Amino acid sequence: MFIANWKMNKTQSEARAFCEAFLKIFTPSPNGTVDVGIAPPYTAIETAKKSLGNTPGIDIGAQNVHWLSAGAQTGEISAPMLKEIGVSFVIIGHSERRQYYGESSKFVAARALNAIKHGLHVIACIGESAADFERGVTREVVYEQLVTSLEGLKPQHTSQLTIAYEPVWAVGTGHAATPEIIAKVHTQIHDILSQLFGKEEGKSLPIIYGGSTTPDNIYEIMCQEHVSGALVGGASLDPQTFNRLILNGRKAKSG
Ligand code: PGA
């Protein structure tokens, strides 16, 4: 699956223009599955949803969600609000939220549980910092983040869960992790997920990679065994570029 994370980009009119251009070139996955997701900022979700109409193969998501269903939480957005406007997945624990807004794994777990309860699919993001990577403690950091961010989730919830491995040093830097690093860490993540949820459930959980993916590097990344897709920032903002990334990524899994 290929998830567009628009971050704080695109007004409603810009979102509409993207969707109109994207629909002219987009083809659904040949095997009939939904393998594309678009996560606009909250204000453009409904516009994007309407612009895409009933096009098969594309889901709409949000970039965060609160852990309560309603209440006195000024400035926040809840799962039922998102459900009602057609959102089917939420990105939780993105490194930008962890870095700039004090997001902790504990709150990621609370957000995930409530989102799942409301029928949303959760994309939970984890990933080590540059300093952690240089110290060689990626596995330890990823382990801690997974255990705490998924606390309270049960094996029966795994069908509504995707893990996004996004090394902080690769996000928005133009320096994607190498396919070798991605393969190694995704294998470790699958092992940890098997410890947490049981062998079968753990292994079947999709893990997507994020961090400076482009139409040019996606094929090699997707050729790795434990990679089910990508969380795409910069390269998802232009319809042509995002579509090329999808097509090249699909090629890796079809051959
Ligand atoms: P990027 O962002 O593709 O621009 O590196 C990825 C992400 O933050 O999800």
Side-chain angles (χ1 to χ4, degrees):
M1 64 195 88
F2 306 92
I3 311 290
N5 175 14
W6 284 354
K7 310 191 180 187
M8 196 173 71
N9 292 294
K10 297 197 190 297
T11 62
Q12 292 191 353
S13 54
E14 288 164 348
R16 192 177 304 115
F18 174 102
C19 292
E20 283 167 7
F22 188 62
L23 283 188
K24 289 196 182 120
I25 48 179
F26 172 74
T27 46
S29 166
N31 62 20
T33 55
V34 177
D35 70 345
V36 173
I38 299 178
Y42 291 128
T43 49
I45 290 175
E46 223 182 339
T47 302
K49 179 86 191 157
K50 282 186 184 146
S51 306
L52 294 171
N54 293 323
T55 310
I58 310 174
D59 275 344
I60 287 286
Q63 300 168 21
N64 197 9
V65 64
H66 201 267
W67 55 86
L68 295 174
S69 305
Q73 302 289 334
T74 302
E76 296 295 326
I77 301 282
S78 74
M81 294 171 185
L82 296 174
K83 280 290 285 185
E84 197 181 80
I85 58 170
V87 163
S88 53
F89 71 91
V90 286
I91 300 167
I92 296 181
H94 190 277
S95 62
E96 285 150 16
R97 301 229 47 96
R98 291 179 187 261
Q99 274 178 284
Y100 310 138
Y101 304 99
E103 178 73 304
S104 69
S105 294
K106 198 169 147 262
F107 283 119
V108 174
R111 293 180 200 279
L113 265 177
N114 199 50
I116 286 174
K117 191 178 101 190
H118 286 283
L120 290 164
H121 189 97
V122 165
I123 299 178
C125 305
I126 54 161
E128 81 286 4
S129 67
D132 292 335
F133 178 72
E134 276 152 29
R135 281 171 49 227
V137 294
T138 297
R139 193 192 175 282
E140 288 76 6
V141 171
V142 161
Y143 180 86
E144 209 286 316
Q145 287 181 343
L146 281 170
V147 169
T148 316
S149 304
L150 304 178
E151 201 181 334
L153 269 69
K154 302 274 180 290
Q156 67 264 27
H157 298 138
T158 52
S159 62
Q160 279 173 266
L161 182 64
T162 293
I163 304 298
Y165 169 58
E166 298 207 304
V168 178
W169 48 271
V171 172
T173 60
H175 301 291
T178 62
E180 292 74 25
I181 293 173
I182 298 169
K184 182 175 159 195
V185 181
H186 281 218
T187 307
Q188 292 172 340
I189 293 172
H190 261 150
D191 287 343
I192 297 165
L193 293 171
S194 293
Q195 285 176 35
L196 294 178
F197 297 115
K199 204 166 170 28
E200 287 316 307
E201 286 87 350
K203 287 268 179 280
S204 64
L205 260 166
I207 308 172
I208 63 178
Y209 166 79
S212 299
T213 51
T214 65
D216 297 327
N217 65 20
I218 193 69
Y219 178 82
E220 242 199 295
I221 291 171
M222 292 289 294
C223 280
Q224 308 307 310
E225 206 187 324
H226 295 268
V227 182
S228 292
L231 184 53
V232 187
S236 74
L237 294 172
D238 171 70
Q240 303 282 347
T241 309
F242 188 46
N243 191 55
R244 277 207 297 133
L245 185 147
I246 294 165
L247 294 176
N248 289 344
R250 280 180 186 160
K251 258 184 230 154
K253 295 296 180 200
S254 67

